[in-house]
Structures are given as C-alpha cells and as structure tokens.
Amino acid sequence: MWMISLPHQIRYLLIGQKRLAIFEACVIGLVSGLAAVLLKHGIGAVGAWRVQMSYLAPAWFVLPGIGLVGGGLSGWLIARFAPEAAGSGIPQVKAMLANVAIALNLRVAIVKMVSVILAVGSGLNLGRQGPTVQIGAALAAQLSRWIPTSPEYRRQLIAAGAAAGLAAGFNAPIAGVLFVVEEFLQDFSGLTLGTAILASFIGAVVSRLLGGQGLSLSQDMSDRFTSFSLQDVPFFLILGLLAGLLGALLCQGIFASLAFNRHVLRVSLPWKIGLAGLLSGMVVAVLPPEFRDNTGLQESLSMGDTLWYVTLLAFGVKFFLTMIAAGSGAPGGLFAPSLILGAALGQSVGFMALALEQWVGIPLGFPAGVSPTTTYALAGMGAFFSAVTRGPITAIVIVFEITADFNLVLPLMIGSVVAYLISDRIAPGSIYGRLLEWNGIHITQDSAISDSWAELTAADLMQRRVETLASQMTLTEVVQAFSSSHHRGFPVVDHGKLIGIITQTDLSDLSRRPALQDGEIRLADIMTPQPVTVHPQDPLTQVLYLLNRFKLSRLPVTEGQKLVGIITRADIIRAEADQLNAATKQFGSPLEPSYVVYQTRSPATGSGRLLVPLSNPQTAPMLMKWQWRSRAIGTMRWNVSRSSPFPEAVRPQKPQCAPPAGAGCCAKPSKWDETITFRFIPNFGLPTMPQKPC
C-alpha cells in the first residue's frame, strides 16, 4: 500500500530493476517458510488434541464428532470468505498462471491456512503440502500488488511462491523448483529459475530452522540399511505397474466422489466436508489406535516397521478415505496421502519379494538377495506419487531429498517412470488439469495470433525517427515546436542522452513554471526528468503494463541513456490492426510515405523563367528523383520515386523544359498549362545543392 504514495518515477525505478525480483523472491521464500511452519504446528496441535481426546473419552464418539465439527467449520470458512480455497489449491494456481481470472491474494491465503488446520487436524485424510503451494503463491500474488510489477514478473513471482511453499512443506527445495517447472510453467528461462530457486531455498531453510520439518527421514535412515541389486529389478517393475494401476484408480475414484457430491449429495459445502469428516472419524474409531495419528503411521510405513496385514489394511483404508475427503472439496492436498499409499504398497511388494526369496531358498545366483522392505517402501512412495500427480521427476527428487540416500535413485527411477507410463496410459493428463476441466476451466494452447503477440518486443513496435527537443530551449521555442508539430509530447535529449520528457499537459501546467527574477524559463525547468522508459527487448506485456499503470500516452525506448525510439498507443493499435488483417509485413513503424512539399500551376501563356519556391528549403537536398511526364493537354509534372536513390538521369519525354536542379531552381514554362509538384521521400541520399540560384 505504501507504494501508492510514491511518485510514479520513483516507483518505476523500483519496478524496472530486476534486482527487485531477487528481493521479492527472498521475501516470498521467508513468508512462505513461516506459513509452512505455522500450518505444520497448527495441524499438529489440533491433531494432538484430537488423539488425546480419543483416549480420554469414547473414540466412537470423539473422532466422528471432531471430524464433523472441524470439517463443517472448515467448509463454512471457505464458502463464506474464499471459495477459491477449496481443494488442494494446486489447480487454482495452475489456472492463475495460465492467465485465468481466479482470485489469489492474502484473503485466500489466510482462509486456506485456517481451513486446512481445521480439516486435516480433525482427521480428514488429506495433506498439508499441497495447500502450502497455494498459500505461497497467494502471498506472492499479494506482494506483487503491494509492490507493483509487470504481468510477466508477477507470473514468475507467483511461480516462485508456489515453489517456496512446496519446498517449505517437504524441506525439499530442488523438488519445489522442479514441480513448478514440470506442472505449471514448462519454462526454463533464467529469471523464472532464478527466482524460484532462491525462494525455494529460503523457504526450506526457514522451515528447517524453525522446526517445521516435513517428512524428513534422513536422520532415521542413518541407522537403516537400503540396497539395490539386480534381483530387485523385476519386483520394482511390478511395483511400478501396481502403482500406476492403483494411482490411476485413485484418480478415477476421486472424480467419482466429486460426481457423487455434486449430483447426488445436494448439500452445501460445509455439510459435504463435515459429513466426510464424520465418516472418516467413524472408520478410524474402529481401527487399531495407531491409525489415529496420520504422521506416526506414515513414518512407520515409510520405515517398514509395520506387519504385512497392517500394511494392507492401511492401504485399503487410506485409499478409501482419500477418495471421500478429496471428493468433498475439503481443503487439503494429495501429496501426503500419495506418499502414505505408496509406502504401504511398496512395503507389501517388499514382503512379497522376501517371501519369494525364502521360498526359492537361494538368491538366484546373484551375490546379494532382495533389498529390505524399507527400500521398497521408499521406492513405492515415489512411484505412487508419480502415478497420481504425473510428475515423475518431482517424485524422484522429493523422496531422494527427504532421505538423502543415493541407493534409492535407481529404484525410484524404475518405479516412478513405469508408474507414470501406466497411469498416463489409463487416464491421460495431469489430475490438476482434469480437476480444472471438471470445474469448467479449459486451459488450451494459445492461438497463432496470441503467440505472435507474445513474441512482440518494444523494438518491433517503436518508431525509430523521433522528434526531440533540447533542455536549453526557451519556453517560447518549446511552444513554437508544439504548434508546428502534430505530436503532443517530445523526449528531451542532451548530447545524445535522454534526460526528460515534455508533454502538452506539462506545458499548460502553470505550477511547473518557476518564478524567475531574471531570464527566460528553459525547457529543463518544466520537463519531467527521469521518464519511464523501456528497453528494446522488453516484451509487449511490459509496454502495455507501463502505459496502463502510469496512464502514459508514449514510452521512450532507450539503451542505457541513449534514445533509440518511441512507442505510442497509436503504434500498438496499428500493430493490432496489422495483425487482425493478417498483414505480412513486420510489426513496427513503417517507412514514412512521400508527401507534397510544393505544388503550383503556371500561367496559361508567358515567357521567361518561373521561380519555384519550396515551403521548406531543408527538404530540397533530399529530393530523390524527378520524372517529367507530359500529357496531351499539356501538363508538366515532377514526381519523386522510391524505386531508386538519387541521382539518376532524367529522361524528359518532351524537351520543352528541363527539370529543376534543387531549391530556388528555375523552370521555363511552356505555352500551355503546367503543374509542378515536388514530393519528399525521407531517408534517401542527399543530392548536390546548386552553387547559385537561377
């Protein structure tokens, strides 16, 4: 808000510097890290209170009751204050980055955080890492409004906020960057990667320093044994196949649950989420006590510490509860459920591999047997994550970062890639894109016209021939310059450097004129110094943003301080008209057409010589070529041709009169009417001036 009170020149100096993007990335990383820590501790506090109450009172009453109340409050907050906060939030960020008009601001971030704490803390089987993506993106979007920036930079900052949110949630900064690039932008430009990497790094550091640990298993893995041998390859292929099939089935089940809630269960959002919490509490109440703590269960499954029948039970229950919770529209992500399901599935495949090895009795001729169930559980986490989110690279990197174990790289690659190929074959497309389509938002590739506009830069639009004024011109001279030109503004240039700009508004503003005791007012006293400018390589989006933001009618184009062109609103309108008319010529300022500098008609009869004056003697040296033509009625015409530069031989068809040689030249009139027309063509060669007039 404080930016509003600053002069627009100072604001632009802040906005125009790419260093500001680095500063904003640091702020976004810091705020996103703090939000992730607050979200983690909030869910932990509510969840711990819920588990404690389940031991102090009957679980069959406490768990469903807390689920109903917590889910209902969460749904009421969303329906009342921010409908955009429903679900995981990643589809909303994806749509926002695709230029869909979806609210993403501080209000959404606050409602998302509180509603996730209520929903996940009350027992719904969803995760907090997905919502941190939307929270980080919303905070970045709000910051870009407080410190205004161009649409392109704003889009990159939102992507950086999403990366910082995921990095803070998992303590995985590399995975945060890769997820944004893989899922959102498909953009590897320097600024996008730079801001995303910086924001992710700071977000992960803040989360780690303040105790907001995600699923960090690196310390627990130090006393665990993970390995990989050739005997594991068939089992990892089986794991990838099962993860792909079941991951695609989970996605289809979520859409079936969404359809049920929309078309069958016709109640408001608070009741939908409340009923999902009630059902989740009822299911967990009849299960063993270890199912009440989602975090503890996830760590046990990841480390391979559960029995095989508990593992199968956990997979079936979590699979069902995830579909119920996600289909209700509850705020929460699919990352954590995918990792839990993957760990359970991987551990089950590991049990099968160990049983088969014991049944065969020998390691099939290889020096080492199959890997322990811990390896399979961690590989299953990546495989199932890849099958659900369709991000195999992110899946591999996330599990690797939270374990820091190089022995898992090959198992993760095998399982994740196979799972991705199988799930994408069954149900093509990202689940987040399909969720957007389910809600009537279709993100398609830009049309050819949009692509052409996206590629335009200031250099394509600007006029390279610019009328300028000097700062030492007097006020009288400036007024004369405005009166003799159709332009309503001029750049002020001294020694080839742009130092200011003057418009008709500035000229008519009497408050700008200093009260001088002696001497005349100079242009430097009333001009606007340090005007808003663009670089020739700045995109069209930057040009449009500056014109609209500061209510300007023209933008000087500079390289350093050197003025190289100017862009007006008319130039952009002309480019748009050319594009809509499918013009084949390049965008930008066309060459100026020729125009008449003098035209006269001679007397019908006469003798001697006729002096032909010119309106502007300075145009005479630039006249390119004269062609003399006569008609039957006796007209005589001199035209300028753009076909070839001056000089060229003049070939008169009738020798009654010779063409003129330049300004002040004489032409002998004939005995019939004759018309003399001089046309001016700029930017051609300079003919030689006559040494003396006729």
Side-chain angles (χ1 to χ4, degrees):
M1 300 297 181
W2 55 271
M3 290 293 297
I4 298 176
S5 61
L6 293 177
H8 74 271
Q9 295 91 348
I10 299 178
R11 280 185 285 167
Y12 176 71
L13 290 177
L14 294 176
I15 295 168
Q17 301 295 327
K18 290 187 177 181
R19 290 189 297 271
L20 182 63
I22 299 176
F23 168 75
E24 288 180 319
C26 296
V27 174
I28 289 169
L30 175 63
V31 176
S32 299
L34 293 174
V37 172
L38 181 60
L39 186 64
K40 189 261 182 183
H41 288 308
I43 293 175
V46 176
W49 173 78
R50 168 179 161 271
V51 173
Q52 183 181 7
M53 291 298 297
S54 68
Y55 289 106
L56 298 177
W60 59 266
F61 173 76
V62 171
L63 295 178
I66 293 178
L68 175 64
V69 175
L73 287 176
S74 175
W76 178 80
L77 283 174
I78 294 173
R80 178 66 177 83
F81 298 103
E84 302 84 6
S88 70
I90 294 178
Q92 291 89 322
V93 178
K94 186 180 181 72
M96 181 69 177
L97 292 174
N99 299 320
V100 178
I102 291 182
L104 204 62
N105 48 37
L106 184 61
R107 171 180 54 86
V108 174
I110 294 175
V111 173
K112 186 74 171 184
M113 181 177 297
V114 177
S115 62
V116 170
I117 291 175
L118 291 173
V120 178
S122 61
L124 275 82
N125 194 63
L126 295 172
R128 60 181 172 83
Q129 287 82 7
T132 59
V133 174
Q134 187 182 18
I135 292 173
L139 293 173
Q142 186 64 61
L143 180 63
S144 69
R145 292 185 178 92
W146 286 341
I147 307 178
T149 185
S150 68
E152 188 65 24
Y153 288 169
R154 182 170 181 263
R155 184 169 178 265
Q156 291 166 340
L157 291 175
I158 292 174
L166 183 62
F170 278 114
N171 270 335
I174 300 176
V177 176
L178 291 179
F179 178 77
V180 168
V181 173
E182 192 174 32
E183 179 64 36
F184 292 151
L185 296 180
Q186 292 82 42
D187 183 5
F188 289 88
S189 64
L191 184 60
T192 299
L193 283 180
T195 53
I197 290 173
L198 185 57
S200 298
F201 169 76
I202 294 178
V205 169
V206 170
S207 177
R208 182 178 295 271
L209 290 178
L210 298 182
Q213 296 289 333
L215 182 62
S216 181
L217 304 177
S218 57
Q219 295 180 353
D220 298 331
M221 291 297 298
S222 60
D223 55 352
R224 298 281 176 163
F225 176 72
T226 58
S227 63
F228 175 74
S229 66
L230 292 179
Q231 284 179 255
D232 293 317
V233 174
F235 298 107
F236 286 131
L237 291 174
I238 294 174
L239 174 60
L241 175 63
L242 293 175
L245 292 173
L246 295 173
L249 181 61
L250 177 64
C251 294
Q252 295 300 104
I254 290 174
F255 285 103
S257 179
L258 286 170
F260 175 81
N261 279 276
R262 176 176 294 183
H263 303 297
V264 179
L265 190 63
R266 297 180 177 274
V267 295
S268 62
L269 183 64
W271 277 108
K272 290 179 181 179
I273 302 177
L275 290 176
L278 175 66
L279 182 59
S280 299
M282 294 173 60
V283 172
V284 173
V286 300
L287 293 175
E290 54 262 34
F291 281 83
R292 301 176 188 179
D293 184 7
N294 288 328
T295 303
L297 179 62
Q298 181 175 359
E299 293 179 355
S300 298
L301 291 172
S302 303
M303 304 310 300
D305 292 336
T306 57
L307 300 175
W308 67 270
Y309 57 87
V310 176
T311 301
L312 291 177
L313 180 62
F315 183 86
V317 170
K318 294 297 182 182
F319 192 95
F320 173 73
L321 294 182
T322 300
M323 289 192 306
I324 298 300
S328 68
L334 297 174
F335 289 168
S338 299
L339 294 176
I340 294 178
L341 291 170
L345 180 63
Q347 190 173 352
S348 300
V349 174
F351 284 135
M352 180 186 69
L354 290 175
L356 183 61
E357 182 186 32
Q358 292 176 3
W359 180 69
V360 173
I362 57 174
L364 302 179
F366 295 102
V370 296
S371 299
T373 56
T374 302
T375 304
Y376 283 90
L378 295 171
M381 292 169 61
F384 209 90
F385 186 96
S386 174
V388 173
T389 65
R390 310 297 165 83
I393 299 177
T394 305
I396 295 170
V397 175
I398 278 183
V399 179
F400 173 73
E401 282 194 281
I402 63 179
T403 59
D405 189 350
F406 283 95
N407 292 327
L408 293 173
V409 174
L410 288 177
L412 285 170
M413 293 178 66
I414 296 173
S416 299
V417 172
V418 173
Y420 166 74
L421 294 175
I422 297 298
S423 62
D424 194 63
R425 179 74 175 180
I426 297 174
S430 167
I431 187 174
Y432 304 116
R434 295 170 61 194
L435 285 172
L436 287 175
E437 294 177 358
W438 173 262
N439 289 282
I441 300 175
H442 299 275
I443 299 177
T444 58
Q445 295 293 330
D446 295 336
S447 62
I449 292 180
S450 298
D451 290 339
S452 300
W453 276 101
E455 295 174 358
L456 283 179
T457 62
D460 300 320
L461 298 168
M462 69 182 185
Q463 299 183 33
R464 300 181 182 274
R465 292 178 294 277
V466 187
E467 297 183 32
T468 63
L469 302 179
S471 63
Q472 296 305 312
M473 293 179 64
T474 63
L475 181 59
T476 303
E477 293 172 335
V478 174
V479 172
Q480 291 176 352
F482 272 95
S483 62
S484 61
S485 175
H486 67 279
H487 295 301
R488 294 185 296 175
F490 295 94
V492 182
V493 176
D494 278 349
H495 307 292
K497 296 181 179 180
L498 179 69
I499 63 172
I501 196 168
I502 183 69
T503 65
Q504 282 186 344
T505 303
D506 301 333
L507 201 61
S508 60
D509 188 359
L510 299 179
S511 63
R512 284 177 169 264
R513 303 183 184 183
L516 300 180
Q517 299 296 333
D518 52 351
E520 192 171 358
I521 298 176
R522 301 288 176 178
L523 177 56
D525 301 326
I526 59 175
M527 70 178 185
T528 300
Q530 296 180 341
V532 178
T533 63
V534 291
H535 189 270
Q537 299 306 317
D538 284 345
L540 175 62
T541 54
Q542 173 77 354
V543 175
L544 293 175
Y545 167 75
L546 293 175
L547 288 173
N548 180 67
R549 175 69 186 174
F550 302 117
K551 303 297 184 285
L552 303 174
S553 58
R554 60 191 54 79
L555 273 177
V557 185
T558 59
E559 290 181 343
Q561 290 184 312
K562 180 182 178 182
L563 180 68
V564 297
I566 195 167
I567 297 176
T568 64
R569 293 178 181 268
D571 298 325
I572 300 176
I573 294 174
R574 184 192 63 250
E576 182 180 6
D578 291 343
Q579 178 67 17
L580 294 177
N581 293 329
T584 58
K585 63 181 181 180
Q586 285 187 336
F587 287 123
S589 178
L591 292 176
E592 293 181 3
S594 62
Y595 59 90
V596 176
V597 294
Y598 180 76
Q599 184 174 11
T600 186
R601 177 177 293 275
S602 70
T605 59
S607 60
R609 297 177 180 271
L610 174 66
L611 182 64
V612 180
L614 296 178
S615 299
N616 184 2
Q618 300 299 324
T619 62
M622 299 181 184
L623 297 179
M624 307 315 308
K625 178 183 177 182
W626 290 273
Q627 292 177 346
W628 176 82
R629 297 178 302 162
S630 63
R631 296 202 304 265
I633 60 174
T635 61
M636 187 168 60
R637 183 182 298 272
W638 286 268
N639 288 330
V640 179
S641 172
R642 301 178 66 157
S643 60
S644 59
F646 186 92
E648 273 194 11
V650 178
R651 299 182 178 88
Q653 295 180 358
K654 292 185 178 182
Q656 285 89 347
C657 182
C665 297
C666 304
K668 183 178 180 180
S670 61
K671 293 182 180 181
W672 53 77
D673 292 344
E674 57 187 39
T675 301
I676 303 173
T677 303
F678 289 93
R679 292 186 180 273
F680 170 57
I681 300 294
N683 292 338
F684 282 88
L686 300 178
T688 305
M689 289 288 292
Q691 298 298 322
K692 59 182 180 179
C694 301

